[in-house]
């Protein structure tokens, strides 16, 4: 199994650690409805609804926390809230900075072949006035370093 790492964690290591600690606490708190349902002996339609809520809570929580770009010897993993794409290095043409789709901001894009496509990543450069929801916003120097790291691995 590949060891996936973020190519842009530098000064943000403490922030990511705090994010994981808060998410773990929220993950445990998300189990409280299930514990309450078990202690009351819920059955019928109520129990599946509680289980569905808890599973949805846990999945969405960790999908939001793990948004980002990861690299390994295998390739690039682009993880957003709704989708995860893995592009092998043999398919990567280049990583480049370009205009974010429908926003006044810069983001990192990855070009892939077979089929030819441009994939947007959730890595944005700080400095735009656009709201950054479910994005990783980096200062310009870390943004450039992340872009260089992606291209050097290719």
């Amino acid at each position: 199994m590949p060891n996936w790492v973020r190519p842009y964690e530098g000064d943000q290591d403490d922030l990511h650690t705090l994010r994981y600690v808060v998410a773990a606490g929220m993950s445990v708190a998300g189990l409280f409805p299930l514990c309450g349902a078990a202690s009351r002996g819920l059955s019928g339609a109520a129990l599946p609804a509680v289980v569905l809520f808890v599973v949805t809570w846990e999945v969405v929580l960790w999908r939001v926390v793990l948004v980002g770009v990861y690299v390994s010897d295998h390739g690039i993993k682009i993880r957003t809230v709704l989708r995860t794409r893995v592009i092998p290095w043999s398919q990567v043409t280049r990583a480049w900075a370009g205009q974010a789709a429908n926003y006044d901001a810069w983001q990192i894009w990855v070009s892939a072949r077979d089929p030819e496509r441009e994939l947007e990543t959730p890595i944005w450069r700080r400095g735009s006035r656009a709201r950054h929801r479910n994005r990783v916003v980096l200062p310009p120097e870390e943004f450039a370093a992340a872009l260089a790291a992606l291209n050097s691995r290719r």
Side-chain angles (χ1 to χ4, degrees):
M1 182 170 258
N3 185 22
W4 297 99
V5 296
R6 293 181 183 204
Y8 49 85
E9 285 184 334
D11 296 338
Q12 295 189 354
D13 284 340
D14 292 337
L15 177 64
H16 287 296
T17 302
L18 178 62
R19 181 181 299 174
Y20 294 140
V21 168
V22 169
M26 290 177 69
S27 185
V28 170
L31 296 174
F32 288 159
L34 192 58
C35 295
S39 69
R40 290 181 181 242
L42 289 182
S43 62
L47 186 59
V50 170
V51 170
L52 180 64
F53 169 78
V54 170
V55 169
T56 303
W57 172 268
E58 299 294 333
V59 168
V60 170
L61 172 69
W62 285 105
R63 292 295 300 185
V64 168
V65 169
L66 296 174
V67 163
V69 174
Y70 300 83
V71 295
S72 75
D73 292 337
H74 178 70
I76 297 176
K77 182 189 290 188
I78 301 170
R79 180 173 276 181
T80 62
V81 173
L82 299 176
R83 184 176 190 171
T84 299
R85 291 182 172 165
V86 177
I87 304 105
W89 288 117
S90 62
Q91 297 295 314
V92 175
T93 307
R94 67 182 177 135
W96 51 282
Q99 188 76 28
N102 303 320
Y103 291 98
D104 180 26
W106 286 87
Q107 78 180 119
I108 294 178
W109 292 77
V110 175
S111 298
R113 62 173 85 98
D114 296 329
E116 196 74 27
R117 62 185 185 256
E118 308 292 332
L119 304 168
E120 59 181 314
T121 70
I123 308 298
W124 285 27
R125 188 179 75 184
R126 184 178 297 153
S128 75
R129 291 176 285 155
R131 295 193 56 120
H132 305 288
R133 180 169 287 201
N134 296 323
R135 307 275 190 248
V136 177
V137 182
L138 300 174
E141 54 279 349
E142 287 185 38
F143 181 86
L147 184 58
L150 289 174
N151 279 316
S152 70
R153 299 286 300 250
R154 186 175 53 86

